[in-house]
Amino acid sequence: MTAIELHDINKEFGSGLSRVKVLNNVNFKANKGELVLVLGPSGSGKSTFLTITGGLQTATSGDVTLDQNNISKISKRDMENFRLNKIGFVLQAYNLVPYLTVKEQFKLVDKVKKSHNLDNEQLMTLLKTLEIDDLINKYPSELSGGQNQRVAIARALYTDPEIILADEPTASLDTGRVDEVGELLQSLAKQQNKAVVVVTHDLRLENYADRIYEIMDGSMTERVN
């Protein structure tokens, strides 16, 4: 079942002589049960693609359909509820609250999304899988970049989203950790029937992908094996 579909997406910033086209007639599809990679170098339009896919910003033209909903035609409040309940974001900046411990990051999520999150046993299993279960009383400033990245991944998965959108989730990780995250994301797609989209320049994730798109200078093509 198609979970994500982008049709002829264009994105421009600025106007007149300063106008810059960041995405050029992008077409993309991800199904439930798939891990889909979008590969490209820095500045290729990957992050813009991801934020438009997740409804964090709007396209200049084109349509984004998530779980059969054309998100350009729903209200801002409905989009916010959709993101809260259906989408898990893993962003490069981690977005962890600096004055909250790892444990408290998840308690904060509970205050915003009050139901259908992982239970305590499921959360501890996830934290153990990511090898951060012994860090639950630490603050982000006490963690390494890789540890913060894994906490951010866990927080995104805590809401049990149907769609997972990840922006360079392995950028701060060594090869062993990359394999763990790749296996986890692949497992979520296959065993829990989630649509997982990862934008990255990390070729180490290729082995875990069902399909791969490549983006360069705002234009996207699907790799044919």
Side-chain angles (χ1 to χ4, degrees):
M1 178 179 175
T2 302
I4 302 168
E5 189 165 11
L6 277 66
H7 180 68
D8 289 341
I9 293 295
N10 291 280
K11 181 63 177 178
E12 297 177 352
F13 292 102
S15 61
L17 295 176
S18 62
R19 179 178 296 171
V20 176
K21 192 165 191 176
V22 180
L23 295 179
N24 182 34
N25 290 325
V26 166
N27 292 282
F28 174 88
K29 183 165 68 173
N31 301 313
K32 290 186 177 180
E34 285 187 329
L35 170 55
V36 182
L37 288 191
V38 177
L39 292 175
S42 297
S44 59
K46 300 192 305 296
S47 294
T48 301
F49 156 80
L50 198 74
T51 55
I52 287 175
T53 300
L56 294 174
Q57 64 174 313
T58 58
T60 303
S61 63
D63 293 305
V64 178
T65 302
L66 302 179
D67 196 25
Q68 313 302 312
N69 295 283
N70 186 331
I71 65 173
S72 64
K73 296 181 179 179
I74 64 177
S75 69
K76 182 178 180 180
R77 174 174 289 183
D78 286 344
M79 187 64 232
E80 290 173 350
N81 288 331
F82 187 92
R83 278 199 302 268
L84 180 64
N85 291 288
K86 300 281 190 177
I87 303 175
F89 288 96
V90 182
L91 302 176
Q92 287 189 65
Y94 313 141
N95 287 342
L96 302 177
V97 181
Y99 52 83
L100 296 181
T101 65
V102 171
K103 181 192 298 184
E104 290 167 342
Q105 306 285 336
F106 299 100
K107 290 182 178 179
L108 177 62
V109 175
D110 286 332
K111 293 181 179 180
V112 179
K113 182 175 181 283
K114 301 181 184 299
S115 61
H116 304 297
N117 299 324
L118 299 185
D119 61 32
N120 190 63
E121 183 177 351
Q122 292 170 320
L123 174 60
M124 290 310 298
T125 298
L126 175 61
L127 297 181
K128 287 177 181 177
T129 298
L130 293 168
E131 296 188 7
I132 52 176
D133 55 301
D134 59 342
L135 304 176
I136 59 173
N137 294 314
K138 300 284 189 181
Y139 292 92
S141 62
E142 298 177 295
L143 305 180
S144 68
Q147 289 169 334
N148 274 312
Q149 182 69 80
R150 283 178 278 151
V151 173
I153 291 170
R155 192 182 60 178
L157 302 182
Y158 179 62
T159 59
D160 196 23
E162 295 180 18
I163 295 169
I164 298 166
L165 303 177
D167 189 358
E168 300 284 6
T170 57
S172 302
L173 306 182
D174 59 32
T175 297
R177 302 294 188 199
V178 169
D179 290 335
E180 291 171 3
V181 170
E183 289 171 2
L184 173 63
L185 295 175
Q186 185 183 63
S187 174
L188 288 166
K190 299 298 183 187
Q191 297 180 20
Q192 298 186 34
N193 200 37
K194 299 180 186 298
V196 183
V197 179
V198 178
V199 301
T200 185
H201 64 267
D202 192 341
L203 301 181
R204 297 174 295 179
L205 287 171
E206 286 189 9
N207 292 335
Y208 301 98
D210 294 290
R211 291 186 297 116
I212 297 174
Y213 286 81
E214 295 175 338
I215 187 168
M216 179 68 69
D217 297 329
S219 295
M220 183 180 289
T221 55
E222 184 173 2
R223 183 186 294 179
V224 179
N225 293 326

